Amino acid sequence: MIDGSGSIGELMAVWTAGPMLSIAMTLAAFLAAQWIFGKIRRPLWMPPVLIAAVLLTAVVAASGIGFEKYQQGARWLTVLLGPATVALGVPLYQQMHHIRALWKPILVTLPIAATLAAGYALVIAWSMGASPMVMASLAPKSVTAPIAMGIAEQLGGSVPLTLGALLITGVLASLFVEWGTRWLRVKDERIIGFALGLNGHAVGTARAFEISPTAGAFSSLGMGLTGIFTALLLPLLLSFAR
Amino acid sequence: MVLLRGFLTLVIFFLLGEAVRVLAGLPISGGVLGMIMVTFTLMVRGRVSDELAAASQGLIAVLVMLISPGVVGVFFIADRFSDHWLTVLVALSVGTMLSVLTTLWVMKKVAGVEGGGDD
């Protein structure tokens, strides 16, 4: 008995020494999430990223590896977020003829919508008496994760709270874009894609690629432009406010 | 080999993006700078190689998987923000709804005026 638990303990030590267990768990959760998502008829309020995260959380908690250990191993996968962001430039180029045809609406909409994506939430949070730390964490809510974490740190926010806000915003943006397009009778996939990327960053972009490559390209564009615009604007605004 | 060649291109552009970020002191992530540089390079070349197209398609398909480990952290730290959850939820949900509607409305208005001639 003691011997048995000893070798199991040894096995866990060997398995968690390298990143392979974290990688296996992440891959399995991703594949299972895709399968479940298809089985439950692809609901917008429960995108694959949320299913995968819930599954992973349950497994990490139940297995007793601990979040820190898991995160260390998963870093072998998450470093790919850098080149994956670069990869978004390819559909962007492939859809350039669509973007050229729509460059004026894009240039007009971007500063208004990207400012309001942060502004509405900040005004609401401020009117509810949120602390400066919470406001700083919420400010980059519509910005893609790698940029958002940088902005939150720079403004004095909490990075974990920002990541939570990002997830909620991404899921809600996909939902509200679906409702909004019906309500405002928007059928243009380019506009739908742009709204998804501008408001819902990578989660919205993953959703946009489910609609069509054109929507995906416009979402990548919206995400990239919002990231750049917000990263430049927010620190500037804050330096005036101080 | 085909995929590896495309992947190498993406990684090199990421490194170039990081270089621009650090050397120019920009608050923008290396990934986004790399994305802009890839787009411009392809525009100048006028075509995209099969290798690069295949590698980028592969990575975009697993974007959700790459985000999910970060999201797991949210569940583990959720209790740290129990005092703020109402404010956070209201600000995020109402704020996101308003900004989505604004985006769609403004874009439709401007594109409608613009697109009138083309369609």
Side-chain angles (χ1 to χ4, degrees):
Chain A
M1 201 61 192
I2 297 163
D3 193 43
S5 69
S7 48
I8 286 180
E10 199 185 309
L11 177 61
M12 275 312 273
V14 172
W15 270 3
T16 53
M20 281 306 159
L21 189 62
S22 295
I23 292 175
M25 281 161 55
T26 313
L27 289 175
F30 170 66
L31 292 173
Q34 297 287 334
W35 183 80
I36 295 172
F37 185 59
K39 278 283 163 194
I40 56 176
R41 298 177 178 203
R42 320 175 76 79
L44 273 174
W45 53 271
M46 194 76 188
V49 63
L50 190 54
I51 304 175
V54 170
L55 287 176
L56 273 173
T57 306
V59 175
V60 170
S63 66
I65 307 177
F67 175 61
E68 299 292 323
K69 260 265 151 68
Y70 165 72
Q71 198 78 336
Q72 261 174 32
R75 203 157 293 150
W76 287 73
L77 288 173
T78 50
V79 287
L80 290 175
L81 262 178
T85 311
V86 177
L88 294 171
V90 175
L92 210 56
Y93 162 75
Q94 287 166 330
Q95 302 289 328
M96 197 48 82
H97 55 289
H98 284 306
I99 294 164
R100 281 219 177 96
L102 225 62
W103 70 270
K104 249 188 198 163
I106 289 171
L107 274 192
V108 174
T109 311
L110 175 77
I112 304 171
T115 307
L116 290 175
Y120 284 134
L122 285 180
V123 169
I124 295 166
W126 174 76
S127 69
M128 288 177 75
S131 67
M133 185 277 283
V134 171
M135 304 253 294
S137 311
L138 295 186
K141 75 179 188 60
S142 287
V143 178
T144 180
I147 304 181
M149 291 193 285
I151 297 177
E153 265 172 7
Q154 205 180 342
L155 301 185
S158 146
V159 171
L161 184 55
T162 298
L163 282 174
L166 285 181
L167 171 72
I168 297 171
T169 304
V171 172
L172 289 177
S174 308
L175 267 178
F176 292 144
V177 166
E178 181 80 6
W179 294 340
T181 47
R182 266 185 237 157
W183 192 51
L184 295 169
R185 293 202 192 86
V186 177
K187 295 204 181 79
D188 194 331
E189 281 178 0
R190 301 172 299 179
I191 298 179
I192 297 172
F194 194 69
L196 277 169
L198 193 150
N199 293 289
H201 55 93
V203 180
T205 301
R207 165 70 194 143
F209 273 105
E210 280 173 25
I211 299 174
S212 75
T214 307
F218 270 81
S219 191
S220 312
L221 181 72
M223 180 179 83
L225 291 177
T226 305
I228 296 165
F229 185 82
T230 315
L232 295 174
L233 180 85
L234 273 180
L236 259 175
L237 275 183
L238 206 87
S239 65
F240 279 122
R242 270 174 185 158
Chain B
M1 282 308 147
V2 171
L3 271 177
L4 273 187
R5 232 177 281 160
F7 185 65
L8 177 61
T9 310
L10 293 174
V11 173
I12 287 173
F13 270 97
F14 176 72
L15 292 173
L16 288 174
E18 289 281 78
V20 171
R21 179 179 69 86
V22 173
L23 296 179
L26 293 171
I28 305 164
S29 73
V32 169
L33 290 171
M35 176 180 96
I36 298 168
M37 286 155 78
V38 159
T39 310
F40 274 104
T41 308
L42 291 175
M43 281 169 74
V44 171
R45 283 190 70 203
R47 59 177 205 92
V48 56
S49 68
D50 292 343
E51 293 108 50
L52 185 57
S56 74
Q57 229 165 36
L59 269 180
I60 291 169
V62 296
L63 205 54
V64 164
M65 186 187 71
L66 302 181
I67 301 169
S68 58
V71 178
V72 172
V74 179
F75 293 105
F76 282 93
I77 54 106
D79 55 318
R80 237 188 273 170
F81 300 102
S82 50
D83 301 341
H84 311 293
W85 69 269
L86 185 67
T87 310
V88 169
L89 272 187
V90 172
L92 289 179
S93 51
V94 178
T96 303
M97 185 180 71
L98 290 176
S99 77
V100 163
L101 290 178
T102 311
T103 311
L104 289 171
W105 187 78
V106 172
M107 190 92 173
K108 189 189 171 189
K109 280 281 164 215
V110 187
V113 174
E114 279 296 304
D118 298 59
D119 295 332

